[in-house]
Amino acid sequence: MPKVELSTTFAHRDVDSKWYAFWDSIGAFRADPTSGRPPFTMVLPPPNVTGRLHIGHALNQTLPDIIARWRRMKGDDVLWLPGTDHAGIATQNVVEAQLAKEGKSRHDIGREAFEARVWDWARESKGTIIGQMRTLGSSVDWSRERFTLDDDLSRAVRRVFVTLYREGLIYRGKYIVNWCPRCRTALSDLEVVHRETHGKLYHVRYPLVGREGSITVATTRPETMLGDTAVAVHADDERYRDAVGSRLRLPLLGRELPVVADDFVDPEFGTGAVKVTPAHDPNDFEMGKRHDLPQVAVIDEDGRMTEAAGPFAGLDRWKARAAVVQALEREGALEKVEDHRHAVGHCQRCRTVVEPLVSTQWFVKIAPLAEPAIDAVRDKRIRFVPEHWAKTYFEWMTNIHDWCISRQLWWGHRIPAWYCDACDRILVEEETPDRCACGGALRQETDVLDTWFSSGLWPFSTMGWPTPTADLERYYPTTLMITGLDIIFFWVARMIMLGLKFGGDVPFRTVYITSLVRDEHGQKMSKSKGNVVNPLELMDEIGADALRFALTALASPGMDIALSEGRLRGSRQFVNKIWNASRFVLMQLRDDEPRPEVPERPAELAHRWILHRISQLSAEVGDALDTFRFDVAADRLYHFFWHEYADWYIELVKPHVQAEGPARETAVAVLLEVHDRVLRLLHPIIPFVTEEVWQQLPRRPELETGRTPGGQRQTITLATFPTSVPAWLDEGAAADMAAVQAMITAIRTIRAEWGVPRSRPITVILEGASDLARSRFETARDDLTRLAGVAQLEFQDQVARDPETVVRVLGDVRLHVPLAGIVDRRAEAARIEKALAKVVKQQAADAAKLANPKFRARAAADVVAETEARVTGLAQQRQALEELLEELSR
RNA sequence: GGGCGGUUAGCUCAGUGGUAGAGCACCGGCUUUACACGCCGGCUGUCACAGGUUCGAAUCCUGUACCGCCCACCA
């Protein structure tokens, strides 16, 4: 009488949200500083409040969730802290785009109203993100959720800013910066993305003043010539040696420029002479400083030409380029134009071509912060996984420039600096000052900080820093950071620098870098390609468990993930397989039957074998997770569950479980034990279906392990993660089982080859079986009958040859299956020949090895022994096959 | 220009010195009472190329080719 009736497909839509709500309600994911258990901490890379999560987020949440659930089940006090990032420029752009649709700009509604509007959007976006995280099953501690603009996090930002300023590590100054004319803000070097562009190299002739001749310069940006204040050549360049120190006349504007010598100039490139525009090129800016050249800004913050551009004033910079080229041509100053490919900087957020401009901005001095951050990774206080990412990190860290942190935006942390109108003083304070020491009124800086400034503090600002909270004391440094490769520089590097400086220690011990999720052909997902996968839709279709499993199985370290439909389908089918195997187990149970105890050492081979295997598997899965081999953990579980537990164990155990008496009791006990354990092993990866089933398994009181706070219902999410049980390890059972499986498979293969239906019983005669083999197959007699349709099993020392009997060689046993009226001699001979060819080839290879005295002398003893044993076996097989062939061809 | 990764079955990928693997796809057969999102059986490979080390190389070393990613102030 089945205890349960359940659908044959797992109804994730009805089940998943129910369990997340349950876990939430019992506080299963809440960290407990008073627990006395070892702490294990991760902070979630806070998603931007720009909308919804994409498939990359799904991966970056699934992997840490697996770790969090696993460590929790291992008994750690897990804190996985969630939150979101205000994402300054990105979020501001989203809301500006919304306004644009209404025909308005942020200036139309003003700073205050604009900020209010962004707050509304951020709140909505946060709600969406939280919903998605719950759907995915992320086991974060919602009671500690943070947002980078929260009051206490903003206080941390001010504390860090003020401290760095007072130590001279933050400074304000007029330098050349990357400027986005569309966003109308300065950008850091990282926010500029370089793209290969087809451009032109314009050769422009600058006439010498006071004597004959000219110097031709090559430039990709002719419009900037209007701001030239010199021409530079290399000091050793003989072509221009005489010209150094003389003056040139700037075409179009007629200003005079000096010719200077500078080692920066590469005589090999272009004409070997470079126009110098200190106001619009970073190199020229430096060169200008070396030669004390004036800066003439000809492009303004909107990308238009300034008054200094003379007749071109007011033109957009692209129109100005065309106009300048035309004018140069007219004047006869344009010598030639060549095609030229080069990298052009674009704004990361809006793709506008970045304009280098001289502007007053705030900077963080990087060198003093970078040094300890490099050391921390070098001496392994922080470990990168995969390790090779450390190289990338070093590469970047040793070459970075100071960090421009001021942004001319409205959405973000306002820089805590005040300017006095009466004197020149700048006040940098954590709390808003009343007035200047001189009595003058104060104006706060209108700029906000780069969003990554606050993100860099995330591991400790979220725990209450600078207040010395209990959480900070217990959970910092965090144990592990799992994040994407795209933000190693933006975020990881800055967390390390700022964590060491302000957190007093590394922000995390290990940083695991996840790969990019791509489409099934390895293409980057993008809206324009139309290959974007929406994780919410996908989860609705196949369930969160299936998506999680697919991502996990594909998460090979250091490799991008090609997410294919086939994999997703396979993953869904696996979840369904778990569901159906669970249904089977539950259907075997009878009402009010207590869960029996697993005997120390069951007599039945199948039980001993599966206990051996689950024990091995437990160790393997634990090891895999320990080394971040998520793919290995998923693969081992998949293979075990489907191709060992379901395909073999469940099939083998059916008759026992359906019998009566002690055999049934043992079978039910082992079945439940293994099922319980494998569900727990699977739970970190596929939390929902495992909880749904686990809740229905009967439990013995002394095995109750799913501790919950306050003694509520049990939950698998707090049950113990299985480990290897040494008493169950049984290599003998493994060998016996392998032999039985090989026999059953061989017989099934014969049936398939000759089209013998299962309905037709067959006789199997085993020739030459050793005592061991004989006892193995004798014991498995019933299994052979049930799983291979063997009606009669005989053992003989010598079997008379019969052309209507199919013979197969299985190790040292010859397997005879009489199939009168079915066997075709020629087809059979062809099969034997093929098998023989294989054996001959292998035998030859092994024999060659053994014939080599160096092999015997130098190879490991066990390898030699193994080869010898194999070659003996192969010789036997070969002889047997040759005999068969001879008989068949007779 | 510099750095990093990849090249293994039709596709997507495991496999770090000892007889080449998985999933999907494909072929054949199954109304076997957990599952057709299933069961049983099967086919599939110059492990990119060229050298080297080694008794032995997909695996270690050197070089080449191709693909991808990141960084970069040669106008």
Side-chain angles (χ1 to χ4, degrees):
Chain A
M1 188 73 169
K3 190 177 166 186
V4 279
E5 278 299 343
L6 298 163
S7 155
T8 60
T9 50
F10 175 56
H12 63 268
R13 285 192 190 91
D14 305 333
V15 168
D16 291 6
S17 57
K18 172 182 80 183
W19 290 119
Y20 198 94
F22 167 65
W23 295 325
D24 205 13
S25 73
I26 62 171
F29 305 145
R30 198 166 302 166
D32 179 8
T34 66
S35 67
R37 285 196 276 272
F40 185 98
T41 317
M42 293 183 290
V43 291
L44 178 78
N48 292 348
V49 286
T50 45
R52 57 200 64 235
L53 302 183
H54 53 71
I55 194 79
H57 288 111
L59 174 72
N60 288 353
Q61 303 218 353
T62 297
L63 300 186
D65 191 48
I66 290 167
I67 296 289
R69 288 177 183 271
W70 169 57
R71 301 301 304 209
R72 214 176 273 123
M73 291 175 80
K74 278 176 62 126
D76 288 353
D77 169 30
V78 172
L79 168 58
W80 186 20
L81 189 149
T84 41
D85 194 304
H86 68 281
I89 191 165
T91 310
Q92 173 158 331
N93 281 355
V94 169
V95 177
E96 279 191 302
Q98 292 171 357
L99 280 174
K101 278 193 190 150
E102 302 163 20
K104 287 185 269 186
S105 82
R106 72 181 205 250
H107 300 283
D108 294 334
I109 64 173
R111 185 161 186 159
E112 211 167 300
F114 181 76
E115 278 189 68
R117 183 141 177 174
V118 186
W119 268 107
D120 286 345
W121 167 254
R123 265 187 283 270
E124 188 186 324
S125 180
K126 241 195 272 189
T128 308
I129 290 167
I130 290 169
Q132 287 180 302
M133 287 176 61
R134 294 173 67 98
T135 305
L136 191 62
S138 300
S139 63
V140 296
D141 183 348
W142 289 113
S143 74
R144 287 177 167 83
E145 186 199 347
R146 298 285 187 273
F147 180 50
T148 45
L149 285 179
D150 285 347
D151 285 345
D152 44 347
L153 275 77
S154 298
R155 198 159 73 86
V157 165
R158 290 198 301 274
R159 169 69 60 89
V160 167
F161 187 94
V162 170
T163 308
L164 289 174
Y165 180 77
R166 293 194 176 147
E167 290 182 18
L169 293 174
I170 282 182
Y171 60 91
R172 180 170 181 263
K174 201 172 174 184
Y175 295 94
I176 192 150
V177 294
N178 306 296
W179 183 269
C180 175
R182 213 250 14 126
C183 300
R184 292 192 99 257
T185 181
L187 303 172
S188 68
D189 292 346
L190 276 179
E191 289 163 300
V192 177
V193 292
H194 290 90
R195 287 200 293 191
E196 260 316 276
T197 311
H198 290 283
K200 302 224 182 283
L201 194 59
Y202 301 86
H203 294 245
V204 185
R205 201 175 302 128
Y206 288 20
L208 283 154
V209 175
R211 57 180 169 127
E212 285 296 297
S214 62
I215 290 179
T216 301
V217 299
T219 178
T220 54
R221 304 194 56 201
E223 70 280 9
T224 62
M225 65 153 301
L226 302 169
D228 284 0
T229 54
V231 165
V233 296
H234 196 280
D236 301 335
D237 193 335
E238 309 215 336
R239 290 172 294 179
Y240 302 113
R241 181 158 292 168
D242 296 344
V244 174
S246 56
R247 301 186 73 78
L248 300 166
R249 188 165 306 284
L250 183 64
L252 307 184
L253 296 185
R255 289 200 325 259
E256 284 190 17
L257 314 173
V259 177
V260 299
D262 195 291
D263 288 350
F264 166 78
V265 180
D266 175 5
E268 304 293 315
F269 187 89
T271 62
V274 188
K275 59 189 272 311
V276 184
T277 322
H280 295 291
D281 183 281
N283 293 316
D284 295 5
F285 181 83
E286 292 301 324
M287 236 191 298
K289 292 211 146 169
R290 287 199 286 275
H291 301 281
D292 205 20
L293 301 171
Q295 296 166 359
V296 177
V298 290
I299 301 171
D300 69 12
E301 296 181 344
D302 291 314
R304 293 181 179 282
M305 306 312 285
T306 64
E307 293 303 318
F312 303 96
L315 282 182
D316 168 82
R317 54 187 168 148
W318 307 115
K319 293 212 173 92
R321 176 174 298 179
V324 164
V325 169
Q326 213 174 29
L328 287 170
E329 227 165 1
R330 244 188 341 255
E331 210 171 278
L334 189 63
E335 196 173 288
K336 63 172 171 178
V337 182
E338 294 174 317
D339 286 332
H340 183 64
R341 279 181 66 82
H342 62 136
V344 176
H346 294 71
C347 172
Q348 182 198 25
R349 291 296 166 190
C350 76
R351 300 281 146 180
T352 301
V353 172
V354 162
E355 187 61 48
L357 284 185
V358 176
S359 157
T360 301
Q361 301 289 344
W362 294 83
F363 297 87
V364 172
K365 199 180 269 180
I366 286 292
L369 294 171
E371 203 179 317
I374 291 169
D375 289 345
V377 175
R378 185 162 287 143
D379 56 35
K380 310 274 180 196
R381 296 202 305 282
I382 298 175
R383 193 166 62 99
F384 273 83
V385 179
E387 219 172 330
H388 71 255
W389 286 112
K391 279 189 208 162
T392 306
Y393 170 82
F394 290 136
E395 193 69 24
W396 188 73
M397 287 296 274
T398 46
N399 290 314
I400 31 175
H401 302 304
D402 286 356
W403 174 17
C404 176
I405 50 170
S406 44
R407 296 289 177 276
Q408 290 62 53
L409 304 171
W410 288 353
W411 177 242
H413 297 99
R414 192 113 167 232
I415 288 177
W418 286 263
Y419 304 104
C420 175
D421 287 330
C423 61
D424 283 342
R425 224 178 305 229
I426 299 175
L427 273 68
V428 172
E429 305 282 348
E430 266 184 64
E431 302 303 332
T432 308
D434 287 338
R435 46 185 50 251
C436 180
C438 76
L442 295 168
R443 279 178 299 112
Q444 188 176 359
E445 169 66 84
T446 53
D447 289 357
V448 300
L449 287 165
D450 181 0
T451 200
W452 296 103
F453 190 89
S454 52
S455 320
L457 317 180
W458 188 250
F460 52 92
S461 65
T462 50
M463 292 180 194
W465 188 92
T467 307
T469 60
D471 272 9
L472 202 56
E473 171 67 27
R474 180 171 171 80
Y475 298 114
Y476 188 90
T478 69
T479 319
L480 172 66
M481 165 62 61
I482 298 188
T483 191
L485 56 96
D486 50 332
I487 51 177
I488 292 179
F489 305 139
F490 279 108
W491 195 45
V492 174
R494 282 146 180 185
M495 276 190 290
I496 295 175
M497 289 191 279
L498 294 168
L500 285 165
K501 175 83 183 162
F502 293 97
D505 201 340
V506 294
F508 31 76
R509 309 282 185 203
T510 301
V511 50
Y512 179 91
I513 303 294
T514 60
S515 313
L516 240 49
V517 180
R518 295 164 174 278
D519 78 1
E520 56 195 306
H521 302 296
Q523 298 288 309
K524 211 167 183 166
M525 289 187 187
S526 72
K527 280 179 200 149
S528 55
K529 281 185 203 146
N531 59 354
V532 175
V533 174
N534 177 337
L536 263 197
E537 284 172 17
L538 196 53
M539 286 191 283
D540 184 57
E541 195 188 330
I542 67 171
D545 284 335
L547 173 60
R548 291 171 59 113
F549 188 83
L551 290 170
T552 307
L554 291 166
S556 303
M559 292 283 293
D560 285 346
I561 291 176
L563 191 65
S564 70
E565 213 176 295
R567 275 295 188 143
L568 289 167
R569 203 182 320 123
S571 178
R572 184 195 58 185
Q573 285 162 336
F574 180 51
V575 171
N576 204 54
K577 186 74 183 180
I578 295 168
W579 175 246
N580 278 298
S582 301
R583 282 179 59 228
F584 171 79
V585 171
L586 294 172
M587 286 164 77
Q588 307 316 311
L589 305 177
R590 295 168 189 169
D591 289 335
D592 304 324
E593 190 179 40
R595 174 164 163 181
E597 208 169 325
V598 175
E600 184 75 19
R601 193 182 160 82
E604 192 68 27
L605 172 61
H607 300 327
R608 281 186 285 123
W609 167 70
I610 203 70
L611 291 171
H612 168 77
R613 286 294 300 129
I614 190 80
S615 194
Q616 284 184 322
L617 177 75
S618 304
E620 282 170 8
V621 172
D623 289 348
L625 294 178
D626 228 1
T627 51
F628 304 106
R629 288 306 304 263
F630 300 98
D631 57 331
V632 171
D635 181 70
R636 297 286 188 278
L637 284 163
Y638 180 96
H639 189 268
F640 172 82
F641 195 95
W642 202 315
H643 299 304
E644 297 184 76
Y645 178 62
D647 284 353
W648 287 99
Y649 181 70
I650 286 184
E651 292 306 324
L652 287 165
V653 89
K654 273 178 181 173
H656 304 293
V657 110
Q658 280 152 8
E660 295 298 333
R664 172 182 150 78
E665 196 169 284
T666 302
V668 168
V670 176
L671 187 62
L672 282 172
E673 183 66 30
V674 173
H675 205 76
D676 190 332
R677 282 175 182 265
V678 77
L679 286 176
R680 281 183 275 150
L681 290 170
L682 283 161
H683 180 259
I685 303 176
I686 42 181
F688 295 109
V689 71
T690 48
E691 178 76 296
E692 174 71 13
V693 173
W694 194 81
Q695 290 287 342
Q696 299 179 56
L697 291 184
R699 267 157 271 167
R700 287 188 293 122
E702 70 272 25
L703 289 180
E704 292 295 349
T705 44
R707 64 192 147 79
T708 58
Q712 287 103 330
R713 281 169 71 190
Q714 303 281 312
T715 169
I716 191 173
T717 215
L718 297 175
T720 307
F721 195 77
T723 52
S724 176
V725 181
W728 288 349
L729 292 174
D730 187 344
E731 293 296 345
D736 290 348
M737 191 66 205
V740 171
Q741 286 175 323
M743 178 61 70
I744 289 172
T745 301
I747 298 167
R748 282 170 171 171
T749 305
I750 292 171
R751 280 183 174 279
E753 281 169 350
W754 295 106
V756 184
R758 325 173 29 88
S759 52
R760 174 171 166 161
I762 54 174
T763 296
V764 171
I765 305 158
L766 300 182
E767 179 186 14
S770 64
D771 289 347
L772 175 64
R774 188 181 276 251
S775 92
R776 274 173 178 165
F777 300 126
E778 198 72 74
T779 313
R781 196 176 275 273
D782 290 347
D783 299 323
L784 290 170
T785 304
R786 228 164 28 79
L787 301 180
V790 176
Q792 211 178 335
L793 181 68
E794 295 172 17
F795 295 91
Q796 292 180 18
D797 291 336
Q798 284 276 294
V799 180
R801 295 288 175 255
D802 171 2
E804 300 223 79
T805 291
V806 171
V807 185
R808 292 289 178 267
V809 182
L810 206 69
D812 55 355
V813 179
R814 286 187 214 186
L815 176 66
H816 298 255
V817 181
L819 293 174
I822 293 178
V823 175
D824 174 274
R825 290 173 71 131
R826 286 179 59 187
E828 177 63 3
R831 283 207 182 94
I832 301 288
E833 253 177 278
K834 204 176 160 190
L836 180 61
K838 215 169 158 184
V839 169
V840 167
K841 201 177 155 190
Q842 286 180 357
Q843 193 198 5
D846 281 336
K849 269 191 198 174
L850 290 169
N852 183 346
K854 284 184 181 167
F855 173 72
R856 288 185 179 279
R858 300 195 191 167
D862 59 326
V863 173
V864 177
E866 202 179 294
T867 310
E868 276 173 340
R870 190 169 56 229
V871 87
T872 310
L874 287 169
Q876 277 175 19
Q877 277 188 44
R878 179 178 180 168
Q879 196 192 338
L881 289 168
E882 279 169 349
E883 280 172 30
L884 283 172
L885 203 56
E886 199 181 323
E887 282 156 20
L888 282 165
S889 58
R890 214 172 270 155

